[in-house]
Amino acid sequence: MARWSMAALALMAWKTAFSAASSFEWRWDDWQISVVNDQVQVLYRQALVFRLTPPLTMRFRDGEGRRGVVTLRWQGGEGEGVWTLGVNRHQITVLAQHTLSQPSLLTWRWLTVNGHLLQGAKSSPVGGEWKGLTVFGAMHLSVGGDGAQTRWQPSDNDWNAALIYPFPTTKSVAQLEGELPPHWLKAEPPKGEPSVHPMDLVQGEFWDLPLVPRPKWWRWGDAPFRLGRQVPLFVAQGYERAAERLCHFLQERWLRQVTVRLWTPNTSLERGIVIASHHSPLREEAAKLEPLLRHELPNEGYALAATPQGAWILAADAKGAFWGAQTLRQLLRLTNEGALIVPGVFIRDYPDFPFRGVHFVADDHSPEFHTRLTTEVLASLKFNRLIVQLDHLKWERHPELWQPWSLPKDGAKRLQQIAEANEMEVIPLLPTLSHCEYLFGALGSGKPKVNADISEDPEVAYAYCPNSERTYRLVFDLLDEVLTLFNPRWVHLGHDEVTNRGRFGQCMRCQGTPPHQLFAYDVRRLYDFLKERGIRTMLWGDMLLRPDEASDATHGGEPFNFWLSRRLLPRDIVIMDWHYQPAPYYPSVHLFKREGFTVIGATWRNLQNIADFAKAAHKAGAWGMVQTTWTGFGNNRNALRDFPDQFTALVTAADRFWNADTSSPSFSDWNVFETLWRDSLVRPMAGFILDLTEAANVPLANLVGVSEGALWGSRRWWNRRLFWLPTDEQGNLKALALRSVWLNQAPKEVVLPINESAMELTFVHATGFPVPDETVVGGYEIWLADGERLTVPLRYGQNLRALTDDRPLRDLRASIAWRWMTPKGTIALNALTVPLPSEKEVNSVRFYAAHDEATPLLAALTGISSKGVAEGAP
């Protein structure tokens, strides 16, 4: 059996005697001092402000209290101690003296200060003295010990002060002097009851970017035109496409019930939307409000006037009406009262270029991809031509040319129908002479797999022989199918980069003929074929330029001198003059025009080149511009992933083709394209707003210690959903706060009458003070009309945090809604969305507190509903 020393036996006897911690409690005035588990807890006005801990393993022995003074005695194997605590009004003094049985190097975690007590202070405790101004008022702490250093360290939401004795000691003395604010925060008495407001729209996504392309001229008017649930749309004969697209947009995107009526000059003026000719009597009515709208408009131009009496689109022609409708779509806004409006505005607008095209390479995915691109992006950006490259069509007469990605003809026809419904003309492009891999059943620089006998170079599937009649039987077959399918006014015949691969002019039939004559002969054969059928021809222009005539895309110089073929070509051919790199000058447009050709400039993905070339082409008198996209064959499924810059460049191109001479835009190409391309993030929904303005009882600035004006409220949109944040008369943000030890005269719970239908509720809330994660601080009880009750507990860190705590939330239904940057850090409000089992009548919501210190806050509540509201709702 082990032998025990007398000291060890004495220590065991002491531990046995005090194995159950003694307790002590004393109250006087606003103070309460208690000992729990050998720790002294100091409460002031019911709030736990300090925790005091004895050194080493000393245990509480006994204590006594009298008026304003408490004496506590401690004992342990290391020694004994006596504490004296004195309180007076809002001041406290503590003196702790300990005698140790043997010298010790002592680190004594003496004091823990509740971090809530310091909320709003500019500085944190450092050293033995600290003074600061908190949300509750002035505060002073003096912490130290004889011969000891005081070190502070944060822990969770508290501040810990440790006394460090640098030399062994048998006596330790610690002191605390504290002057606390005379009172905690007080809630204001509510001015009234919360109010519920049914809304036409509490949720919806509207265009929040600048108008794209930018109008030639515009100014804001005084008052908006508000679209109620019922929207009369008056349309003059010939402008049906514009009306049809606008009607569909209003019905699908904004839940409007649109009634389309025929407008004639004899139609009496009614409140609504009008699409009519600029030469109608409405022109003079609009000019009374803005004289500039009286001026004549070029082709595709429009004037737009929005006043409280309606929105009028007065167009030069059908295309102008369609573009005016696109502008009107971008102008639609949601107000803070949940109303759909067109802001008061006057616009006079028209394009700089008559021809504004987009080129793309078609494949089997085009009916899906390019249909969406056309309807959602290109039409909105006011392009009016599509150049559709058709290397891989499912040819009826030549199925040997099919590839897995070949475009079915019904898909191609559907593309054309979609384009024409959006005022875009389709111009088919069939690469001829060069880039003819498709004719040989090959890709890249491989050998021909079919039709090898007409390949100009038997080793390279690229250019065909222009001196073979079988070439033209094949090409004419394909062109005939193109003409039958599209019935176009124009066909683009390619003819670019003829010498890019393989040998040209070297086959037995072509040897000895100058290459430029071969080029011109081939163009003429195809040109005549088209002209006999009333179709005009377009060509790429690079083979017609020498290197000294432009900065890039000049492939017509030595040694073959294709540029000489310019003299041999009919002048009614349109030259598509492509240049893809920025240059100080773009002389080729002027050169081609001087020689009698009509010219269209073509750009690609370099934004500076798009802007500069469009400006130069407009100055030189070009007919228009084309923005090309090169995504490869059979790759349209991955086009946005692989070539995003080509599609965002469409935005710059649209703006510059409409306004060639303007300065750089203020918008982001990607933001505009992404907004147009994607579906609406949220459905338009009706619902209700809970306005807590009259019931709000605490300015949030008071809870975090910032000045008035730092947190401003009013009506706001978050996640495309409307909320009314309560404010005082000066616009300072307030909330409905529940009672805690830090906030007096607030209710412990509040029942909010609703009596509205909803399928989802979103609460905007926070707590006034941080608490440990997973703490249940309160909750909502949602009472439904059928007697069902939904309980939503609020767990800190899951679905809400304190105003001063902007860390992420773990509940997927919750996130930060708004942040304010202040001199004292970031202030945040959280949002929590609670789905209901189905669309149901919500009778009331009970908001309750379940924690002494957290102080739950409710700033806003919005419910969304699939049901409409009355026309008279705000």
Side-chain angles (χ1 to χ4, degrees), residues 56 95 182 478:
L56 303 175
L95 179 64
L478 303 187

Side-chain angles (χ1 to χ4, degrees), residues 200-218:
D200 180 5
L201 292 166
V202 296
Q203 177 175 286
E205 182 180 2
F206 57 89
W207 185 264
D208 55 1
L209 296 163
L211 297 178
V212 183
R214 290 169 287 178
K216 283 287 187 299
W217 176 91
W218 64 276

Side-chain angles (χ1 to χ4, degrees), residues 37 97 184 375 437 600 663 666 701 793 841:
N37 294 329
Q97 302 179 76
W184 304 139
T375 56
E437 298 93 332
I600 296 171
S663 58
S666 60
E841 187 85 7

Side-chain angles (χ1 to χ4, degrees), residues 389 391-392 395 398-406 431 434-452 454-455 457-463 474 501 632-634:
Q389 186 162 329
D391 308 48
H392 298 288
W395 308 104
H398 295 279
E400 73 277 6
L401 304 181
W402 289 10
Q403 297 288 355
W405 53 85
S406 293
S434 58
H435 287 291
C436 291
E437 298 93 332
Y438 69 101
L439 292 178
F440 305 109
L443 288 176
S445 56
K447 291 184 178 182
K449 295 180 180 179
V450 296
N451 300 317
I454 65 170
S455 178
D457 185 337
E459 300 299 317
V460 180
Y462 185 69
L474 173 61
R501 295 181 193 149
F633 299 110

Side-chain angles (χ1 to χ4, degrees), residues 18-249:
F18 292 93
S19 59
S22 301
S23 62
F24 173 85
E25 185 172 321
W26 172 86
R27 297 172 185 268
W28 185 76
D29 201 5
D30 289 330
W31 294 90
Q32 178 182 338
I33 297 174
S34 59
V35 180
V36 180
N37 294 329
D38 298 311
Q39 189 177 68
V40 178
Q41 297 184 354
V42 180
L43 282 75
Y44 174 66
R45 294 185 178 271
Q46 301 181 335
L48 178 62
V49 290
F50 304 126
R51 293 193 303 274
L52 301 165
T53 306
L56 303 175
T57 59
M58 290 193 180
R59 311 292 296 275
F60 176 66
R61 191 179 71 187
D62 58 46
E64 58 186 7
R66 57 187 185 277
R67 181 181 177 85
V69 178
V70 172
T71 301
L72 305 176
R73 286 175 282 274
W74 306 82
Q75 187 172 340
E78 296 88 355
E80 58 184 9
V82 177
W83 293 12
T84 304
L85 296 84
V87 295
N88 179 25
R89 299 179 63 189
H90 51 90
Q91 296 175 334
I92 183 171
T93 301
V94 182
L95 179 64
Q97 302 179 76
H98 293 266
T99 301
L100 305 181
S101 57
Q102 57 185 4
S104 299
L105 278 172
L106 188 61
T107 297
W108 180 1
R109 185 172 172 174
W110 157 235
L111 171 68
T112 297
V113 178
N114 191 332
H116 300 161
L117 192 63
L118 283 76
Q119 182 149 305
K122 290 183 178 180
S123 62
S124 304
V126 176
E129 292 281 337
W130 179 84
K131 291 182 178 180
L133 189 65
T134 72
V135 297
F136 309 107
M139 180 177 165
H140 175 215
L141 291 177
S142 176
V143 182
D146 288 352
Q149 299 176 351
T150 304
R151 291 186 182 176
W152 291 90
Q153 185 175 5
S155 172
D156 295 329
N157 297 314
D158 298 328
W159 282 89
N160 301 310
L163 302 179
I164 301 175
Y165 294 82
F167 302 106
T169 181
T170 57
K171 291 186 177 181
S172 61
V173 178
Q175 61 84 27
L176 163 66
E177 292 183 3
E179 183 174 352
L180 304 183
H183 52 74
W184 304 139
L185 298 172
K186 292 184 179 179
E188 302 172 353
K191 296 180 179 179
E193 297 294 324
S195 56
V196 175
H197 299 272
M199 291 284 171
D200 180 5
L201 292 166
V202 296
Q203 177 175 286
E205 182 180 2
F206 57 89
W207 185 264
D208 55 1
L209 296 163
L211 297 178
V212 183
R214 290 169 287 178
K216 283 287 187 299
W217 176 91
W218 64 276
R219 73 169 178 86
W220 293 120
D222 296 328
F225 165 57
R226 175 177 165 175
L227 289 78
R229 281 276 170 174
Q230 306 286 337
V231 179
L233 174 55
F234 302 91
V235 56
Q237 190 170 6
Y239 300 121
E240 290 82 4
R241 280 182 181 170
E244 180 181 353
R245 184 73 189 275
L246 184 59
C247 176
H248 181 268
F249 179 79

